[in-house]
Amino acid sequence: MRGYLLGAIAAASYGLNPLFALPLYEAGVGVDSVLFYRYLLAVVMMGALMLVRRQSFALARRDILPLVVLGLLFSFSSLLLFQSYKYMDAGIASTILFLYPVVVAVIMTVGFHEKASLATVLSILLSSVGILLLCRSADGTTLNPVGIALVLLSSLCYAVYIVGVNRSSLRTMSAEKLTFYSLLIGTSIYVVRLHGCVDLQLLPSFPMWECAVGLALFPTIVSLVALASAIHRIGSTPAAILGALEPVTALIIGVAVFSEALTVRIIGGVVLILVAVTLIIVGDSLRLPRIVRIPHLLRLPHRNW
């Protein structure tokens, strides 16, 4: 139960990205600067927490390469998602990102030979229809294909990250240490993109610093620590399925705070995606009522009829 609760917390926290990121965009802060502040502040907070709890920063040699790969994957996932906000509503982008549980299920089936169930196949079909419904804006025009491609690539990076946490040597590493090094390595991408921080934009006001701190704390530290803990307890696919709270959170924030459009078509697309990914986790537990077979009954002694 703790694993499922942590998975829900991770998803809901990650869905808060638009709440803190969009005000920074509106203030004229670029994507790379926003993400640099997000990662740097998160590294400082996570490192301070580990020091207070007297946790070791030591790494085994076998863990270095997986940490580098996972840190870069998560960082690229963030970069691609935040770039997509320029092309579509944040709520819709976060909903399309929610395809990552399906991607996780496919990776586990193809790459790790998990059994491909009927529920998995149905979930892929339903989620595809849901994406088609979401790929039009409020006025009925088709959304920018660049934005859609960015979100899909972000979803792929996030899915591989989730699988990697559970299927590499890092599966025994503490959630705090895993999060710290993933963020530290991920920060390097923005240092490079900002030309050694020469192009880093300063935050213009105290409220913008509040948004940066909120971005570092909730959709980063809280989400990553809770996600890693959930994966260790319940596995990659169930933890990914609990991401259902992510697009719901993002859409609620988009509509309530940023006045984004919410149409019947968008609601229908969201429902289809939620049903699709939910099928992955509950599909195998569904059982048809047993039907008594006549040939079996005919073999019973007469007194048992």
Side-chain angles (χ1 to χ4, degrees), residues 125-258:
L125 294 176
L126 288 174
S127 60
S128 299
V129 175
I131 288 296
L132 291 176
L133 291 176
L134 291 175
C135 288
R136 289 186 177 275
S137 60
D139 58 3
T141 59
T142 303
L143 294 177
N144 192 306
V146 175
I148 297 174
L150 289 171
V151 181
L152 292 178
L153 287 174
S154 175
S155 179
L156 176 61
C157 290
Y158 196 44
V160 177
Y161 172 85
I162 291 175
V163 173
V165 170
N166 193 41
R167 291 288 178 166
S168 68
S169 62
L170 305 178
R171 61 182 177 273
T172 58
M173 181 179 291
S174 71
E176 291 81 3
K177 184 188 292 189
L178 174 62
T179 301
F180 173 80
Y181 281 107
S182 294
L183 294 172
L184 181 62
I185 293 167
T187 305
S188 63
I189 290 180
Y190 308 108
V191 173
V192 172
R193 288 177 59 86
L194 291 167
H195 302 96
C197 294
V198 172
D199 297 334
L200 179 65
Q201 297 173 264
L202 297 178
L203 298 182
S205 64
F206 181 73
M208 294 301 99
W209 278 103
E210 290 180 323
C211 287
V213 171
L215 195 60
L217 180 59
F218 295 105
T220 310
I221 290 180
V222 173
S223 180
L224 278 179
V225 172
L227 177 63
S229 299
I231 292 173
H232 290 160
R233 287 175 169 82
I234 61 177
S236 298
T237 302
I241 298 300
L242 290 171
L245 289 178
E246 178 190 317
V248 174
T249 303
L251 280 174
I252 290 174
I253 291 173
V255 173
V257 179
F258 301 109

Side-chain angles (χ1 to χ4, degrees), residues 19-299:
L19 179 63
F20 301 109
L22 294 184
L24 290 168
Y25 286 171
E26 293 173 358
V29 184
V31 173
D32 291 316
S33 293
V34 169
L35 288 171
F36 174 81
Y37 285 115
R38 173 191 182 183
Y39 276 67
L40 180 63
L41 291 172
V43 168
V44 172
M45 293 180 194
M46 198 73 253
L49 177 62
M50 291 180 65
L51 287 173
V52 170
R53 301 179 67 173
R54 298 183 179 180
Q55 294 190 15
S56 172
F57 289 85
L59 290 175
R61 183 176 299 179
R62 65 172 186 172
D63 295 334
I64 295 177
L65 180 59
L67 274 174
V68 170
V69 174
L70 292 186
L72 293 177
L73 279 171
F74 185 80
S75 189
F76 276 121
S77 177
S78 300
L79 177 61
L80 293 166
L81 176 63
F82 278 47
Q83 290 280 12
S84 73
Y85 291 167
K86 295 181 178 181
Y87 300 95
M88 64 178 68
D89 288 346
I92 296 179
S94 298
T95 303
I96 297 176
L97 178 72
F98 185 56
L99 277 176
Y100 72 81
V102 177
V103 181
V104 169
V106 172
I107 293 174
M108 296 302 290
T109 300
V110 176
F112 298 96
H113 307 292
E114 286 193 353
K115 184 179 179 181
S117 64
L118 177 60
T120 301
V121 176
L122 288 176
S123 70
I124 294 174
L125 294 176
L126 288 174
S127 60
S128 299
V129 175
I131 288 296
L132 291 176
L133 291 176
L134 291 175
C135 288
R136 289 186 177 275
S137 60
D139 58 3
T141 59
T142 303
L143 294 177
N144 192 306
V146 175
I148 297 174
L150 289 171
V151 181
L152 292 178
L153 287 174
S154 175
S155 179
L156 176 61
C157 290
Y158 196 44
V160 177
Y161 172 85
I162 291 175
V163 173
V165 170
N166 193 41
R167 291 288 178 166
S168 68
S169 62
L170 305 178
R171 61 182 177 273
T172 58
M173 181 179 291
S174 71
E176 291 81 3
K177 184 188 292 189
L178 174 62
T179 301
F180 173 80
Y181 281 107
S182 294
L183 294 172
L184 181 62
I185 293 167
T187 305
S188 63
I189 290 180
Y190 308 108
V191 173
V192 172
R193 288 177 59 86
L194 291 167
H195 302 96
C197 294
V198 172
D199 297 334
L200 179 65
Q201 297 173 264
L202 297 178
L203 298 182
S205 64
F206 181 73
M208 294 301 99
W209 278 103
E210 290 180 323
C211 287
V213 171
L215 195 60
L217 180 59
F218 295 105
T220 310
I221 290 180
V222 173
S223 180
L224 278 179
V225 172
L227 177 63
S229 299
I231 292 173
H232 290 160
R233 287 175 169 82
I234 61 177
S236 298
T237 302
I241 298 300
L242 290 171
L245 289 178
E246 178 190 317
V248 174
T249 303
L251 280 174
I252 290 174
I253 291 173
V255 173
V257 179
F258 301 109
S259 302
E260 294 181 354
L262 182 64
T263 65
V264 174
R265 175 173 41 77
I266 291 175
I267 294 174
V270 172
V271 170
L272 282 177
I273 292 176
L274 296 182
V275 171
V277 294
T278 302
L279 272 176
I280 296 177
I281 191 170
V282 303
D284 291 338
S285 63
L286 295 177
R287 294 290 185 271
L288 293 175
R290 290 186 178 182
I291 301 175
V292 178
R293 298 178 180 178
I294 296 300
H296 175 71
L297 287 178
L298 293 177
R299 292 196 299 268

